[in-house]
Amino acid sequence: MVGGAVYASDGGSAAFLVGVDAETGETLFKQRGVPKATLVAVGDKLLVLDEEGALRLAAPGQGRIDELGRAEVLGSQAWTVPTLVGRRVFVRDSRRLVALELP
């Protein structure tokens, strides 16, 4: 949750990123362009790990999520939510565990 909204991947076959108003439950938007993903809030930003192993830094905007940067850090089947410990983020797929230091 960032700024009163919950952000998630809907996990359907067409995979949308969605924003939902936490108070009313109203869907704020549905956005294409990212495979099924897991998200974690980092301050007012989001870390988004898609199932193909791309890790994105994103910012919630009006009616969308804006990608600020992306790195291909894993292979396929990256289904586990990123774990943030201090300035380190841990991500994994079906074969590897990777630790990355955030600035």
Side-chain angles (χ1 to χ4, degrees), residues 53 73-80 91-97:
V73 296
L74 296 169
S76 63
Q77 297 180 340
W79 298 328
T80 304
V91 293
R92 74 174 191 87
D93 61 16
S94 61
R95 295 188 330 239
R96 297 184 320 154
L97 172 66

Side-chain angles (χ1 to χ4, degrees), residues 10-50:
D10 75 353
S13 60
F16 289 92
L17 288 178
V18 296
V20 176
D21 184 293
E23 189 172 312
T24 67
E26 175 189 355
T27 299
L28 301 172
F29 66 88
K30 286 188 167 189
Q31 177 178 331
R32 292 183 188 261
V34 175
K36 293 177 189 173
T38 56
L39 296 81
V40 66
V42 180
D44 62 349
K45 306 283 188 296
L46 297 166
L47 282 177
V48 181
L49 178 65
D50 74 38

